[in-house]
Each structure stands twice: as C-alpha cells, then as structure tokens.
Amino acid sequence: MKDNEALTKYIGALVDELSALNIKNVVISPGSRSTPISMLVNEHPKLNSFIAVDERGAAFFALGIAKSTKQPTVLICTSGTAASNYLPAISEAKESRIPLIVLTADRPHELRDIGAPQAMNQIGLYGSFVKQFIELALPEASESMYQYARTSINRLYRSSMTAPRGPVHMNVPLREPLVPNFALEGIFTSGKRQETAHTVLTETVATISKPTIHKMTELFQSKRKGLLVCGPYVDEKAVQKILDLGIMLGYPVLCDPLSNGRTLMNEEAVTIDTYDTFLKFEEIVETIESEVIVRFGAMPVSKPFNQYVQKQTNCEIIVIDEGDLWRDPTLKATQMISCNDEEFCTAILNSCTQKMDSENQWLMKWQTINEKTKSGLQNAEQFEGLFEGKIVQLLAKHLPENSTLFVSNSMPIRDVDTFLHTQTKKIKIACNRGVNGIDGTIATALGMAAAGESVTLLIGDLSFYHDLNSLVLSKLHQLPIKIILVNNDGGGIFSFLPQSKEEKHFEALFGTPLELDFQHATGLFGGIHSKIANWFEFEDALSKNEERMHVIEVQTDRKENYDLHQKVWSIVKKEYEK
C-alpha cells in the first residue's frame, strides 16, 4: 500500500517504542485486523517475534517468557473471540505478578454494535485482571499523534512494571487498508523527541520507615518463637536476605519450593523444607506454637501450613508485600507492611544489635523435627514400584545444574513440596501458582525454554491433555524440552480429598479416566516418546539429551499412589518415636 502513511508511521511509532523500552519478545497470534501491528513487529530489527496460532496457548507461552526474563512480553491478536482466549493466562499473570502487554486489534468505532463480522465489545475486555486499559485513538498522520502512540505504550509499560507487576491491555482500532507501506522512509522514527524512549521511566521500591524498623526490631528481639516464611515469587536476592535474617534472629525459615530457597544453602541450616509433612500431625503442631510469623511472597503451596497458621491464637502474623495488596487467605494477619522484601530484611539486619543465641532451643526443635521428617521421606527412594513421589526425588538427583523444573498444578506441585529438599545443586522451580489452573502448562514451560532456559516439565495426564495444542510450539520454534508425563489415567489429587469416599460418583466426576495413548500426540508434533516400565528405564531416559521434545511417560496407579503416600507418612511418624 503506497498511500497508507498515517497507519504505517502511527503503528511504526508504537512498535518502535516497545524496542526503546528494551522489550525484546513479542508473541503473535495471526489474524487480519492485527496485520499492521504484526507486520511492523516482524519488520523491526530489534524485536524477536514468535508465531503461536492458538491464542490460549500463545498467551501462556508469552507468560512463560515473561516469567523467565522478568520483562514484559507483548501479545498481539486480531479482533473478536481471539482476544477472549487470552483471559486464562492474563488472570494467571495478574495473580502471579507477571508483566504482559496485550495488544488487541479491533474494528473501528463505526463497525461496532451493528453486526459487523468478527466484532464484539473489547472495551475493558479483561476487567480487573489487568492493571491498566487504554483504547488507542485511530491512526492520524501528525507528529503529535505519533508522540501520543509512544506515550501510550510508555504508560502501559510503567504500569506493568510497577509493584505489583502484572498484565496491561491496549485495544487498537484500525480501518482498512491494513497493509503498511514499507516504501516510506523513517517508519520507525516518527514521534521521537530524543534517541532514547519518549519518556524516561525510573523504577523505585517501597521502603520502610524508621519508626517501623524500630518497632519490628523490638518485636523480633522480644519474641524468641518466631518463623520466617519464604513464599512463592520472592526475588532471589530477597531470598538470601530472608535466610540471613533467619540466622540473625534464630528463626526457622520455611521455604516454599517456588521461592527457590531450597537450593540456596546456608551453613547454619535455618531452612525448613519438610513442614508440609510434619504439620499434618497434630501431636507435632501442639509442640511448636509460634509467637510471631513473618511471611514474604504469596501464600505457600502447603495446605498443612495454612491450617497451622489458622491454629496460632496468640501470634503476631506479619505480611510483607510491596504491592500494597491483601494477600492473606488465612484472614489472620495482624500487620500488613507495604515494603520491598529485600529492603525490609536489610533494614532489620542493620537495626539488630546482636545475633540470637546459638543454643536457640526453638530453632533446634524445628531443625530436629525437620531432619527426622526428611529421614522418613527418603525411604520412598527404596520403593520399587512406580511411585509419584520418587519421581521428584530422582529428578532432583539427575537434573543438571542451573536447569529449570516446571511443575504442573494438582498432584505434581504437592509432591515437589513434599519430596524436594535442600541441596547444593542449583535448580529453578517454576509453576503457574497464581490461580493454580492446569491449563496452559505446556505452553508456559515452552515459553521459559524460548527465553533460553533448559526446561524439564513435570505434568499429569489431565494437564497434558488440557494443553495438547501447545506441543506444536516446540516443533515450530525448535525448542527441546523434556516432559515427564505422570499418567495415572485421571485426576490423582482427588484421591486425597473427601470426594474419594463417595464411590458412586467419584470416577465419573473426579477420577475422569480418559484412557488416551499419548504416544500418538507426541508423534503428531514431532517429538520422541518413551513409556517406561521401571526405575532403570526412567533414569536412562532422563540421561538422554535429545535435540527435540522428549515425552517420558510414567504410568502409575491412582489407588496405589494414594496408599504409598500413606505408607511414607506412617514411616515418618515412626521416626518421631525413635
């Protein structure tokens, strides 16, 4: 199109500003109305574009990239129901605080609400799931409008990266003709005031006031029976500071697997990693009542920990949250402190006058319980049958240094919480734990692989089935990934819930056996499939470094898996009696 100057330079300015903000990755779901945005992204020399045909998978793929890079990934789609399919991933991004910039193309205003094809109401489509919504004006050929396009994307970027980070949405109405004029000069330079971004954005962190520092320091030094809790999504630098604070105060540090604190070893061993197991036992809980609990990050995966907090009647429960939100599902918090995690720990560490007594009986009690529990749990390694908990133990042993274990929700993340313990090997654990859904798991793991991580995915058969479409992303973008598919032919987690006692309705409503042969699906998308029969075959398959997708299927039995978990917990209880 030779005469499409307004469209070309307007969208060109918008696209170029993404690059000026140091955004690198764009995921495009093909469509007609989004043609100028997609083509100009593809044309831009500094933007890396990925094509993902299925919008639901595309959004989770973008989520995985952003989860890895900690920078916004841009999502682009056409008008209509295409945009609706982004919602599951956007809701996950909102709750797990992952920055996404969603650009939805739209019909111009005159084609809305009159029955035009592929048109629906996209104004505020994602509601409260996005931090900010902007409907961009229609393209106009003027420097002021090109500047407006740049400023608008700046506004969204700042919102997505300000605590709490999260997704933002821009709706872009466009008139035909939609093909940019690539013969024009300076298609990416319009609307610039300077060589850098249109507006320089400076990030800040929430700090803590001196009176609050003094108050907290006095509290911690007067309360000997304290806990620090390192929940999901805590920044790595903050995790180290939390461990340092635990050493200083003599407080055990309960590290959720998604905090990645279990691979940050500390010489004084304040990390507690088996609490999900021993907090199941009332006789243990009664001996470890806390006076103060300080939680960083989101609520841990562990349900027994949640129940433990509920039982603490004379306890200060403090939640540190820079995002100034109310993340307290226990409804027990006595103080909510809006502060950056690392800043809080640094302030208290600098304020404390002396280290706690090394003979701290409180800390030693937690350490003793933790070690006995760990000793009992390690007995699972002796099981010859294909036990799902042992899969986690073998993965921890065999995964290479600096690799990523992406874990699906339901049973896999709970087994990781139970059976993954502190170690010197650096392994990153990731999961979509914002809304805890099972959709989009494969796509998110592949997104992290696209960002350059060496990813192994641990997933159940229902989660695998939910996201089969996304296997094509491995083939299209040549992303090697190892997928450990735990196939217990249904929803294994429900065997641990009260519904399992209702035999009449259980299998149809909760067990939901699908009886699928996943070898065919793997082959369809160009992958290698291995169905293992014993632990030797499992370890052998793990050791192979394939250059493409490798699905390692472990077939387990739901009832037997439930019984083996009960057996492990029985062994743990005997450890306490020694």
Side-chain angles (χ1 to χ4, degrees):
M1 289 289 176
K2 293 183 179 180
D3 57 345
N4 219 354
E5 179 176 351
L7 174 77
T8 304
K9 291 190 173 181
Y10 185 76
I11 300 300
L14 181 77
V15 166
D16 183 67
E17 196 66 16
L18 295 172
S19 173
L21 290 163
N22 290 319
I23 291 171
K24 306 292 184 188
N25 299 299
V26 183
V27 177
I28 300 171
S29 303
S32 177
R33 189 59 53 167
S34 54
T35 292
I37 314 173
S38 301
M39 292 184 85
L40 286 161
V41 163
N42 239 26
E43 182 75 9
H44 199 285
K46 294 183 179 180
L47 293 175
N48 182 30
S49 60
F50 296 90
I51 306 303
V53 176
D54 171 34
E55 284 84 8
R56 187 175 76 162
F60 279 105
F61 186 64
L63 179 82
I65 296 173
K67 193 185 281 274
S68 175
T69 62
K70 296 180 171 56
Q71 288 292 315
T73 305
V74 177
L75 269 166
I76 297 170
C77 73
T78 189
S79 62
T81 58
S84 303
N85 286 292
Y86 283 167
L87 181 58
I90 288 171
S91 61
E92 173 62 31
K94 193 254 186 184
E95 295 301 328
S96 56
R97 303 186 176 186
I98 305 297
L100 294 177
I101 297 177
V102 183
L103 305 180
T104 57
D106 201 355
R107 274 10 190 195
H109 303 76
E110 67 270 17
L111 291 182
R112 297 177 185 174
D113 300 319
I114 59 169
Q118 206 172 315
M120 68 179 200
N121 182 9
Q122 296 178 198
I123 306 299
L125 178 62
Y126 306 119
S128 62
F129 292 110
V130 292
K131 293 186 64 185
Q132 188 174 17
F133 168 74
I134 293 175
E135 163 134 283
L136 204 65
L138 284 156
E140 290 183 27
S142 71
E143 279 297 305
S144 64
M145 289 302 288
Y146 303 149
Q147 287 176 7
Y148 156 75
R150 288 181 181 273
T151 300
S152 296
I153 206 68
N154 266 261
R155 289 170 57 198
L156 286 180
Y157 175 87
R158 185 185 69 169
S159 179
S160 73
M161 292 295 283
T162 302
R165 294 183 176 189
V168 292
H169 176 207
M170 175 180 281
N171 197 52
V172 187
L174 297 165
R175 290 194 181 106
E176 295 180 345
L178 297 168
V179 178
N181 182 357
F182 291 106
L184 290 171
E185 291 185 7
I187 58 175
F188 293 123
T189 59
S190 300
K192 275 190 174 182
R193 288 183 182 172
Q194 52 192 32
E195 289 303 315
T196 58
H198 175 70
T199 303
V200 176
L201 304 177
T202 303
E203 290 186 41
T204 60
V205 297
T207 57
I208 184 171
S209 68
K210 288 183 179 180
T212 305
I213 295 171
H214 180 69
K215 185 173 109 177
M216 288 293 104
T217 303
E218 283 191 338
L219 174 68
F220 297 149
Q221 292 187 330
S222 66
K223 303 286 188 182
R224 293 286 180 173
K225 297 180 178 181
L227 294 178
L228 302 183
V229 181
C230 198
Y233 309 123
V234 174
D235 184 80
E236 185 174 322
K237 291 180 182 177
V239 175
Q240 187 59 64
K241 287 289 185 181
I242 294 165
L243 291 172
D244 292 342
L245 185 59
I247 293 169
M248 171 66 77
L249 299 175
Y251 286 3
V253 181
L254 278 58
C255 283
D256 183 271
L258 297 177
S259 72
N260 288 299
R262 297 186 187 182
T263 56
L264 283 176
M265 295 293 287
N266 56 88
E267 59 184 25
E268 301 194 38
V270 295
T271 302
I272 303 298
D273 53 10
T274 66
Y275 58 89
D276 180 66
T277 296
F278 65 73
L279 291 179
K280 288 180 169 72
F281 307 128
E282 190 61 37
E283 60 269 32
I284 299 293
V285 171
E286 289 173 354
T287 68
I288 48 175
E289 290 188 3
S290 297
E291 296 175 325
V292 58
I293 299 173
V294 185
R295 199 192 81 228
F296 304 85
M299 196 67 184
V301 169
S302 172
K303 186 174 182 179
F305 170 76
N306 189 314
Q307 293 169 333
Y308 170 79
V309 174
Q310 296 278 6
K311 292 173 183 175
Q312 303 312 296
T313 54
N314 298 306
C315 182
E316 284 276 1
I317 298 176
I318 302 165
V319 177
I320 313 299
D321 192 341
E322 183 181 16
D324 195 24
L325 295 177
W326 203 275
R327 289 199 292 191
D328 177 35
T330 68
L331 305 178
K332 296 279 286 185
T334 56
Q335 296 190 54
M336 307 290 286
I337 299 179
S338 298
C339 182
N340 175 270
D341 295 338
E342 187 179 359
E343 290 282 324
F344 179 89
C345 293
T346 300
I348 304 301
L349 284 165
N350 291 338
S351 177
C352 285
T353 55
Q354 62 182 16
K355 188 176 177 180
M356 284 286 189
D357 184 1
S358 60
E359 296 298 316
N360 185 321
Q361 295 300 313
W362 170 253
L363 175 58
M364 290 172 64
K365 177 181 279 190
W366 280 81
Q367 289 171 328
T368 299
I369 295 170
N370 195 58
E371 287 308 308
K372 286 186 175 182
T373 306
K374 194 178 299 187
S375 176
L377 290 171
Q378 286 170 348
N379 278 279
E381 292 186 28
Q382 309 305 318
F383 293 172
E384 294 184 5
L386 295 178
F387 173 49
E388 294 176 16
K390 185 172 177 177
I391 293 172
V392 174
Q393 293 172 324
L394 291 177
L395 284 172
K397 184 183 295 185
H398 291 285
L399 287 183
E401 186 86 20
N402 295 318
S403 61
T404 297
L405 176 62
F406 196 93
V407 187
S408 76
N409 278 303
S410 292
M411 209 59 213
I413 187 59
R414 286 167 174 82
D415 278 334
V416 166
D417 197 7
T418 301
F419 294 100
L420 180 78
H421 304 142
T422 50
Q423 55 188 312
T424 55
K425 186 195 298 181
K426 183 69 176 172
I427 299 173
K428 178 178 178 180
I429 312 297
C431 178
N432 285 342
R433 201 65 192 164
V435 195
N436 305 359
I438 65 171
D439 49 349
T441 306
I442 294 171
T444 311
L446 285 168
M448 297 189 80
E453 300 194 32
S454 173
V455 179
T456 297
L457 169 61
L458 176 62
I459 190 170
D461 55 297
L462 290 186
S463 297
F464 191 84
Y465 161 72
H466 259 266
D467 204 23
L468 273 178
N469 277 4
S470 293
L471 293 174
V472 76
L473 294 167
S474 175
K475 179 181 179 182
L476 288 178
H477 301 295
Q478 299 180 335
L479 300 172
I481 185 172
K482 203 165 282 180
I483 300 177
I484 313 303
L485 170 56
V486 182
N487 185 358
N488 53 34
D489 197 22
I493 193 169
F494 291 106
S495 297
F496 294 81
L497 300 178
Q499 296 94 308
S500 62
K501 307 299 187 249
E502 299 295 330
E503 295 184 9
K504 179 179 178 182
H505 303 289
F506 180 74
E507 278 299 288
L509 295 176
F510 305 103
T512 58
L514 300 178
E515 300 181 0
L516 296 176
D517 187 342
F518 292 108
Q519 181 176 351
H520 300 304
T522 306
L524 176 64
F525 296 108
I528 301 166
H529 184 275
S530 302
K531 183 176 283 190
I532 67 102
N534 54 55
W535 294 119
F536 173 79
E537 290 182 2
F538 180 70
E539 291 182 278
D540 182 59
L542 275 182
S543 68
K544 293 177 180 176
N545 293 316
E546 306 290 354
E547 294 301 313
R548 50 184 169 146
M549 174 177 62
H550 184 190
V551 176
I552 302 169
E553 185 175 349
V554 185
Q555 204 146 21
T556 63
D557 179 87
R558 275 186 273 129
K559 185 180 184 310
E560 182 181 349
N561 181 59
Y562 173 83
D563 291 341
L564 287 172
H565 275 84
Q566 302 302 318
K567 183 178 179 181
V568 169
W569 292 327
S570 175
I571 293 170
V572 169
K573 286 189 93 170
K574 289 178 182 177
E575 287 290 326
Y576 305 141
E577 297 166 3
K578 290 182 180 179

